[in-house]
Amino acid sequence: MYEEKRLQALQRYGILDTAPEAEYDDIVQLAARLCDAPIALISLVDRDRQWFKANVGLPGVTETERCISFCTFAIEREHVLVIEDATKDARFASCPLVTGAPFIRFYAGAPIQTEDGYHLGTLCVIDREARPLTDEQRRGLLALKRQVELLLRLRFQVKQAEERNRQLLRSSNDAVFVLDELGRVVELNPVAERLLGLGSAQVLGSFIDALAPEDERESLRRALQQLRARGTVRMENQGLRAARGERVALDIAASLQEVGHARRLLLVGHDLTEKRRLEQQSIQNDRLASVGALAAGIAHEINNPIAYVLSNLSFLEGWRDDLERQLVASPGFQSHVTDLLVEAREVISESLDGCKRIRDIVRDMRYFSHAPDESLAPVDINASLDFVLRMAQSELKGTAHLEKDYDVALPVVFANESRLSQVFLNLIINAIQAMPSGSPQRNTLRVRTAREGEHVRIDISDTGHGIPPEVLPKIFDPFFTTKPAGSGTGLGLSISHSLVQKMGGELRVRSEQGSGTTFSLVLPTGERALEVPTALAS
């Protein structure tokens, strides 16, 4: 049992069959001079062999069979094993290492011990002449073997640190970067690769500050300098540049790992994108709630007066038409009156259009307050999209060609079909209007559906001019519009956002100027859908 545990301890150090290292070579050189011996070894005793980590006096020899080794006996003792004359010791007299090369006569071996008491091998000195080991040489040999033990412990700690780093890399939900002392990336985890949109081969060996936006590199360099000096540092809202050029914001906790001669900078970055999205969502919800409160107060006040004005304008329009017919038929009708009547027609028509616009705005605003009780029911998303696309065909045919990519096995979602169709139509019309008309062969409207776990995702994409980055955060704000004055109320996307939320879903957008925009609806399906309120009025 002890032997198996001893071998396990030896394997844990990961030192067998490693390349020569100067620290170990220096120790055997000192041992040979101290003990005035031609041969000195750091010998590690494996299951069937003894392997030499460092070697003076046996050039080209890296190991021997364990069954003929002196060190096998040395590791069974707590103190230095001394053989003054191997030819006179029954244990070794017939050993091939005694009767043949290297013709061992004198041997002294100090066992190399782990902190938990297992003997891994020895620091030993060998001579071809029989002789004793002086007390001073014994003390020196023990001191040097303690240096070997220290080196092995440092190695073990470095192995443990590297293993902890690997576990962190594998299991962390945050982005993890391991840097060398100069700040070059030596390891990163899949989360970091995903956030940057880069593979490890594209990042390894790069200086971490080169991955930051140019105006944030100097602050990152200063933070790394503080890290080297203080051992820990925090970097709030530190930006890194992703593959497509967008800024990825991270809160980074960094620590200096110093074990032996190895120094590593460990950076663990928490992605702020989701946090900011939730903050923006909260702000958006507050805005919509404010509009809802406003709408509830003004809808009643405006609806009745505007109805009177519209009714009276319609009456006035009819009265003007009757007056014109009577005047034209009257004898002595003067032509200049016709000009006045035409002007009156234009004034009345503009007034009607303006009042209808006010009525439409108030009607749209009611969706933010107390919408009618409209229950959710199973909806076939693909069929609903096809229905809306047929409605938009007249707008689409002169502007873009259609590409559909439907998941034919898409499950139903629980939604209000009329309201969902309203959202689809609004997004599709917006997509069409974002592309220049007259060149359908050069523009594309893409509609895609897919299942994502317990959700269904609908992507509506255009190849239009895209949305400027400074505008993107505002597009769901009530009354915000990029359209020319008079051609939009600025409520379409806000209403769509509100309706999707009330159906338990989410409306997202991504855009790149010059390449187009994609709106994505994510709606719950199956058991998940039953958790959302059963009515839009909720």
Side-chain angles (χ1 to χ4, degrees):
M1 180 65 72
Y2 172 85
E3 176 64 8
E4 287 301 318
K5 290 184 177 179
R6 187 193 73 81
L7 291 171
Q8 290 172 7
L10 177 60
Q11 292 298 325
R12 281 199 302 272
Y13 281 83
I15 193 170
L16 288 174
D17 300 306
T18 56
E21 298 176 56
E23 295 88 348
Y24 296 95
D25 291 340
D26 290 344
I27 289 174
V28 293
Q29 293 280 359
L30 287 170
R33 286 199 294 270
L34 173 70
C35 297
D36 194 23
I39 300 170
L41 306 168
I42 294 175
S43 173
L44 300 171
V45 181
D46 201 359
R47 186 181 300 275
D48 300 312
R49 61 172 179 155
Q50 65 172 0
W51 177 79
F52 305 139
K53 175 60 182 174
N55 176 340
V56 169
L58 293 177
V61 180
T62 58
E63 61 182 59
T64 62
E65 294 180 66
R66 178 176 176 177
C67 62
I68 61 173
S69 71
F70 283 59
C71 294
T72 295
F73 292 89
I75 64 173
E76 295 175 354
R77 300 168 58 92
E78 292 296 325
H79 305 293
V80 179
L81 171 66
V82 179
I83 309 297
E84 293 186 352
D85 187 347
T87 62
K88 296 179 180 179
D89 190 311
R91 294 171 296 178
F92 306 108
S94 61
C95 176
L97 300 178
V98 176
T99 59
F103 300 101
I104 296 175
R105 295 296 179 267
F106 168 79
Y107 171 92
I112 297 168
Q113 190 173 12
T114 66
E115 288 183 294
D116 48 356
Y118 294 104
H119 291 176
L120 305 182
T122 67
L123 171 63
C124 64
V125 290
I126 296 171
D127 202 340
R128 298 182 179 89
E129 302 290 336
R131 64 182 181 82
L133 182 73
T134 68
D135 289 342
E136 183 181 358
Q137 290 171 337
R138 183 188 300 267
R139 288 193 296 271
L141 194 64
L142 287 171
L144 289 174
K145 78 100 178 184
R146 286 193 288 272
Q147 294 303 306
V148 177
E149 291 170 345
L150 178 60
L151 287 174
L152 288 174
R153 286 168 194 161
L154 289 175
R155 172 187 288 273
F156 184 57
Q157 290 169 7
V158 172
K159 190 173 179 236
Q160 284 183 313
E162 289 175 348
E163 180 59 27
R164 285 195 297 270
N165 285 347
R166 281 192 289 270
Q167 290 178 355
L168 179 61
L169 287 168
R170 288 192 298 264
S171 62
S172 178
N173 292 322
D174 291 324
V176 181
F177 299 87
V178 181
L179 316 179
D180 65 14
E181 192 173 0
L182 297 176
R184 289 177 297 217
V185 180
V186 295
E187 289 186 81
L188 73 163
N189 70 343
V191 177
E193 293 180 25
R194 177 178 55 78
L195 286 178
L196 296 178
L198 297 169
S200 59
Q202 298 169 279
V203 179
L204 294 178
S206 302
F207 286 96
I208 190 71
D209 59 285
L211 300 175
E214 191 169 350
D215 59 347
E216 297 185 64
R217 291 177 184 174
E218 185 56 37
S219 62
L220 179 54
R221 292 188 194 107
R222 288 197 300 268
L224 293 179
Q225 289 174 353
Q226 293 174 2
L227 174 60
R228 296 182 189 100
R230 291 164 30 190
T232 61
V233 73
R234 291 194 66 86
M235 295 169 251
E236 296 183 357
N237 192 25
Q238 173 61 52
L240 294 180
R241 190 179 63 251
R244 296 177 58 184
E246 68 272 24
R247 180 181 184 270
V248 176
L250 300 171
D251 273 347
I252 297 176
S255 61
L256 174 66
Q257 299 192 333
E258 194 167 4
V259 182
H261 298 294
R263 286 166 63 95
R264 291 288 184 264
L265 311 180
L266 179 66
L267 277 59
V268 180
H270 180 66
D271 180 21
L272 296 178
T273 305
E274 181 65 13
K275 177 183 176 183
R276 288 189 169 183
R277 189 188 68 78
L278 293 174
E279 289 174 349
Q280 289 299 318
Q281 185 69 67
S282 177
I283 293 170
Q284 182 68 22
N285 290 343
D286 290 343
R287 288 172 177 167
L288 294 180
S290 299
V291 173
L294 175 66
I298 67 175
H300 177 73
E301 298 298 327
I302 293 179
N303 271 334
N304 288 339
I306 207 68
Y308 302 150
V309 174
L310 280 170
S311 176
N312 289 339
L313 283 171
S314 297
F315 171 78
L316 186 58
E317 184 178 46
W319 179 82
R320 190 216 67 86
D321 292 342
D322 288 342
L323 178 61
E324 182 179 25
R325 285 192 295 271
Q326 292 176 21
L327 289 175
V328 169
S330 299
F333 176 71
Q334 299 181 5
S335 60
H336 75 276
V337 177
T338 303
D339 295 335
L340 295 175
L341 291 173
V342 169
E343 185 177 353
R345 180 191 299 121
E346 292 174 352
V347 169
I348 294 171
S349 178
E350 288 175 358
S351 299
L352 278 169
D353 288 343
C355 288
K356 289 175 181 176
R357 183 169 170 75
I358 294 172
R359 180 195 63 191
D360 292 343
I361 290 174
V362 173
R363 181 196 62 205
D364 287 343
M365 286 175 65
R366 71 188 176 87
Y367 292 121
F368 292 116
S369 53
H370 299 290
D373 185 9
E374 297 170 335
S375 299
L376 306 184
V379 175
D380 182 336
I381 291 293
N382 293 342
S384 181
L385 281 168
D386 281 339
F387 171 74
V388 172
L389 287 168
R390 286 194 296 272
M391 290 177 60
Q393 183 58 34
S394 59
E395 295 249 4
L396 176 63
K397 64 182 179 181
T399 301
H401 67 277
L402 174 65
E403 289 184 3
K404 294 195 299 184
D405 181 12
Y406 289 175
D407 181 348
V408 294
L410 201 69
V412 298
V413 301
F414 281 79
N416 181 275
E417 187 163 15
S418 64
R419 292 295 173 236
L420 193 56
S421 296
Q422 178 185 349
V423 173
F424 288 158
L425 184 60
N426 181 45
L427 296 179
I428 288 169
I429 294 299
N430 280 356
I432 295 171
Q433 292 177 348
M435 296 178 282
S437 61
S439 303
Q441 69 279 5
R442 289 191 293 193
N443 301 321
T444 304
L445 173 70
R446 295 186 181 92
V447 181
R448 176 179 177 269
T449 63
R451 180 165 189 166
E452 290 187 352
E454 296 179 336
H455 293 80
V456 164
R457 175 173 175 153
I458 305 101
D459 291 334
I460 297 173
S461 307
D462 64 68
T463 54
H465 46 70
I467 303 172
E470 66 274 12
V471 170
L472 205 58
K474 306 174 185 176
I475 60 169
F476 294 125
D477 289 356
F479 302 108
F480 179 83
T481 180
T482 59
K483 296 177 180 178
S487 55
T489 66
L491 288 173
L493 286 176
S494 298
I495 292 172
S496 297
H497 186 276
S498 179
L499 290 173
V500 171
Q501 274 200 318
K502 288 179 180 179
M503 288 183 273
E506 185 180 357
L507 181 58
R508 307 171 185 164
V509 61
R510 65 180 186 275
S511 185
E512 185 174 347
Q513 283 192 276
S515 298
T517 301
T518 297
F519 282 89
S520 298
L521 284 80
V522 181
L523 296 168
T525 182
E527 295 293 330
R528 187 68 179 262
L530 297 177
E531 300 172 8
V532 305
T534 57
L536 295 182
S538 304

